[in-house]
Amino acid sequence: MKAWRWSGVAGVLLLLVGCGGSEDADSASDDAERLGGVAQPQTQAQPTAPPSPEVAPLDEAVAVDVSARLGSDRRLLVEGTTNLPDDTRLQVLVEREASGVRWQERTEVEGGHFAAGPFGPGSGLPDGGYRITVNMPAVSIQPAEVRARLGEEGEYLSGPLVQESRHGLGRVISASERFLVGSQPRRTTDQVEVQSLELE
């Protein structure tokens, strides 16, 4: 009799466990149906980069205005203005006409201005004539923003200062000015204006 009771209790327990299991299985299958049968990985929307703004090409003739002054040490300081884009790389060259001695320095356009120097030996520049040349090297070595304004080969450059590169690298710019240091008479056969520089 005891054995029968235990077997009856065991049967009831098995029945309850079986029912509980099927309820869990049913709820799990319901969840799976609601989720589309299998768990779907969540995808995140990739951020899209904002479109880069269009850069307007340079649509006017290139202008470069060069000025110079002597410092208290008789060395030359060169400044200038230009309509070239900011960050345009320039090279400023100062040459003594009597001897052909040269000094050069790289600079960049900032806010329509550029500056370079001082040029000359530590003892100062002797009196005489000097040529200051401002060159813009090939567009291929300019920053990306400058290339966008001037064209990959300088095709947007125009005006009398623009010329073709000797190395086939597109258009470049060269502007030259002559200056006289001191009061030495200046003889020239060229029809050019020579500016006189006095010590500050």
Side-chain angles (χ1 to χ4, degrees), residues 5 12 24 32-33 58 68 90 96 101 103 121 156 158 163 174:
R5 274 192 219 158
V12 170
D24 288 344
E33 285 175 14
L58 188 68
L90 301 175
R96 185 175 182 218
V101 174
W103 300 270
Y156 301 137
S158 63
Q163 52 193 261
S174 184

Side-chain angles (χ1 to χ4, degrees), residues 28-40:
S29 67
D30 289 346
D31 288 345
E33 285 175 14
R34 278 189 299 240
L35 292 174
V38 289
Q40 301 293 324

Side-chain angles (χ1 to χ4, degrees), residues 21 27 34 81 109-110 126 131 175:
S27 66
R34 278 189 299 240
T81 58
V109 177
E110 291 182 20
R131 180 183 291 274

